[in-house]
Amino acid sequence: MLAIALGIAWLVLSPLCLWIIVRGRMGAKVGAVLTLAAMEVATVAVRPAHEAPQVVAHDVPAPPRPSAADCAERTPVPQTARLEKGHESLELFWSAEPDECRTAKVVLRHRGRELRVWVHEGPLRGHHVGVRTVPVRVEGGTASLRLALDLPERAHYRTVDGRSGRDIAPRHEQ
């Protein structure tokens, strides 16, 4: 009940006090300011101290992705690769880590029908020719990146991990 009376006081007295502050005499202006201050103190005092703010809706935020300086140095091993039709791009996929970097450095070499790929996250030591920095996407526990290619359309290219020399399994449309 006290809260309702205080709300009505705000509705009635605050416009009146503002009008007095703008148009009234000095004594009336002081009284108007003191009235507004008293209503403000009463409003703060009426709110119970134990009352917690109410949450209407709650979304669980995704864990923040580390910045380039925060992510750990790692050499992910691509598990699957998808060569887009027309050989315009190559997409690589691997299991994402909790502190997956936002970008990766990639070296791509092709010889004949073999595409050798080296992927590195974090600071890269030494001098490397043909390094591309590309964004890494993380969806559902899988990290991926896409490389633009300029390859002639031939029969079939094999994607190979540059470090181990093992074939990277082709990924089919899902």
Side-chain angles (χ1 to χ4, degrees):
M1 188 66 185
L2 183 60
I4 294 173
L6 191 57
I8 293 171
W10 272 108
L11 288 174
V12 173
L13 292 178
S14 61
L16 179 65
C17 288
L18 290 175
W19 183 78
I20 291 173
I21 289 172
V22 173
R23 297 284 185 185
R25 295 187 180 161
M26 184 51 88
K29 287 181 181 184
V30 172
V33 170
L34 290 176
T35 302
L36 289 174
M39 286 192 309
E40 184 67 29
V41 169
T43 301
V44 172
V46 167
R47 182 179 171 267
H50 66 276
E51 182 181 308
Q54 294 183 1
V55 177
V56 176
H58 181 64
D59 290 335
V60 178
R65 301 239 345 248
S67 67
D70 295 342
C71 68
E73 181 177 349
R74 100 174 30 90
T75 53
V77 178
Q79 297 163 340
T80 57
R82 179 173 47 219
L83 190 60
E84 297 293 327
K85 291 183 171 113
H87 303 110
E88 296 174 359
S89 67
L90 173 69
E91 198 166 7
L92 301 171
F93 301 88
W94 64 92
S95 296
E97 296 291 327
D99 60 343
E100 195 72 43
C101 292
R102 293 179 186 201
T103 61
K105 289 147 186 85
V106 182
V107 176
L108 177 70
R109 304 273 185 258
H110 71 90
R111 185 177 309 143
R113 293 187 179 173
E114 183 179 86
L115 298 173
R116 287 180 101 48
V117 180
W118 291 264
V119 180
H120 187 85
E121 292 181 335
L124 190 59
R125 292 177 180 79
H127 178 71
H128 303 276
V129 178
V131 175
R132 294 191 240 175
T133 302
V134 294
V136 174
R137 291 185 320 273
V138 177
E139 292 178 6
T142 301
S144 65
L145 59 84
R146 184 181 301 259
L147 293 168
L149 298 178
D150 185 23
L151 297 173
E153 286 193 45
R154 286 199 236 167
H156 179 72
Y157 286 94
R158 236 175 24 121
T159 310
V160 177
D161 180 33
R163 289 182 193 83
S164 67
R166 294 187 180 136
D167 284 358
I168 300 172
R171 185 179 184 112
H172 303 289
E173 296 295 323
Q174 296 178 359

